[in-house]
Amino acid sequence: MTMNPGAVNFRAGDGQPARKILAATSISYAIVLLDASIVNIGLEQIGATLDSGVSGLQWIVNAYTLSFASFLMTGGTLGDRLGARNIYLAGLMLFTLASALCGFAPNLGTLAMARALQGLGSAMLVPCSLALINQAYPDPARRAAAIGMWMGCGGIAMASGPLLGGLLIHGFGWRSIFFVNLPLGLAGICLTWPLPRDRAPGTRHFDIAGQLTAIIALGSLIALLIEAPALGWGSLPIVAGAVVCGMASLLFIRIETRQPQPMLPLSLFRNGLFAASALVSMASALVFYGMLFAFSIYYQRVLGYAPLQAGLAFLPMTVMVATGGLVSGRLARLFGARASMCAAFCLYAIGAAGMLLPEPGSPYWFAVLPMLAIGLASGFISPAATAPAMGTVEKNRAGIAAAVLNSARQTGAALGVAIFGALLATLQPFAQALHIVLGMVVAISLAAALLWWFSTRPSACLQRVQARSKNAALR
């Protein structure tokens, strides 16, 4: 993200303001990732209370991830134009208010709309969180430590989501998983409110046409995948939706190639390493969140687990997600980014293949080792894919590059829930559909490993570095 020249700079030496910024941004990032994982445990009770099938549950999950993915880059643009503190605070307020609306939602449509508002709030506050940390900690070493703490809080929240959700639902019902965001959101607002406002607006262009076409293209694609099993793939609404999706996608590409300051700079994808990083990030989110959705339904609807039991069942996997994130950098340095990334995707494939073995009557511990493999792979891949991608872009484009990678992950998460949910809704019996889902995970994981292996060949990487050095010399 580009820095606003008129923004107030908070320095680590100032003490209290910097610590408040770090505390506020850590809280907000924690509730964003907590919300992404905690909702899956409540799906069965939400479906029973609001009389929803699989497609309705898909919308509960995807209304959030779709909105988050669609508006993430716009959130960064708004922060550049109107001030990171102002947009961060507005996003956190919106997220907190939307969480209350989720908790009080009387029907499925209201809940899905409130979840979309949560996603919009997240898209505003996440990129601005990093901008605030950059302002508060100008020293690189202090900034790295602050970002590590910020990401660590998110990892802990992500890992604890299913268990915390199970405990809350067991004691207070499914609405409590949304109400838990309120005290955390209010704490973040109280910490941020006293901070000085950004004064001078930025000048970064706002790509309205690109934003609208991106929402239509991505939204129609997800809607097709969710609604086609019920309406039929050859029905008029689905065919019309496919046409709209295709036209919007082509128009989006045309707009972004002609905009002087596009929302999505397509030039980033001319670098093969950056493009590969975005694709493997999307693939990882697709298989992980798709499996999380599928197994949330499996444990509660097929095996009859209570929400607390389901939360405990996911604990080995989510703990390994946090562990994988913590050791990602060390493993990449020890074994090399190329080999370790491919090994992580092979772990995905091994874990998914291992989940094919237990039958509905098998002991739970049969699934523990596969879950450990899946969790470790997921936690490792996200930071391991980000670091080399960010090394391919100039510093003044680091913010938009980070937003692109985050959007790729959120898009992958939405696609995973939509595709796997469509298979579960279409194919019967459920066990057969689940086997096909796991087979797809194996195939996607191995394809991503091959993509990364061939995209990071030493000779190809050397050519990219030499080309960048030559271009820099010419400038």
Side-chain angles (χ1 to χ4, degrees), residues 115-349:
R115 289 281 288 160
L117 288 176
Q118 278 188 310
L120 176 58
S122 298
M124 294 167 66
L125 67 88
V126 167
C128 293
S129 294
L130 282 172
L132 287 172
I133 292 174
N134 282 338
Q135 293 175 20
Y137 293 89
D139 178 71
R142 290 176 178 265
R143 185 190 305 136
I147 292 175
M149 183 176 293
W150 180 75
M151 296 188 69
C153 289
I156 293 170
M158 172 70 183
S160 62
L163 179 58
L164 178 60
L167 290 169
L168 287 170
I169 294 169
H170 179 75
F172 308 102
W174 66 265
R175 297 181 185 276
S176 62
I177 64 177
F178 299 109
F179 289 137
V180 73
N181 294 332
L182 302 186
L184 295 173
L186 291 173
I189 292 169
C190 290
L191 287 169
T192 311
W193 190 270
L195 299 176
R197 295 176 180 270
D198 296 300
R199 294 187 177 89
T203 58
R204 186 175 165 189
H205 175 71
F206 190 71
D207 185 6
I208 298 176
Q211 178 67 83
L212 290 176
T213 51
I215 292 172
I216 294 171
L218 185 56
S220 57
L221 174 60
I222 299 301
L224 289 173
L225 293 170
I226 292 176
E227 298 299 334
L231 298 177
W233 290 96
S235 64
L236 181 60
I238 298 302
V239 173
V243 172
V244 169
C245 179
M247 292 180 64
S249 300
L250 292 174
L251 186 57
F252 173 74
I253 294 172
R254 181 180 177 85
I255 291 170
E256 297 306 281
T257 54
R258 298 192 172 193
Q259 280 279 10
Q261 292 183 348
M263 181 185 78
L264 176 61
L266 297 179
S267 59
L268 291 173
F269 294 94
R270 293 173 188 163
N271 185 291
L273 182 57
F274 184 91
S277 296
L279 286 172
V280 297
S281 295
M282 182 183 293
S284 176
L286 189 155
V287 299
F288 179 76
Y289 284 99
M291 281 193 290
L292 189 63
F293 176 83
F295 279 101
S296 295
I297 296 175
Y298 174 72
Y299 278 130
Q300 296 181 70
R301 184 166 295 184
V302 177
L303 299 185
Y305 280 22
L308 179 56
Q309 288 177 295
L312 289 169
F314 282 119
L315 192 59
M317 182 170 67
T318 54
V319 167
M320 289 306 291
V321 171
T323 304
L326 292 172
V327 302
S328 179
R330 186 177 302 176
L331 290 177
R333 288 192 298 271
L334 187 61
F335 298 105
R338 189 186 188 204
S340 56
M341 179 71 79
C342 292
F345 273 107
C346 288
L347 269 182
Y348 258 143

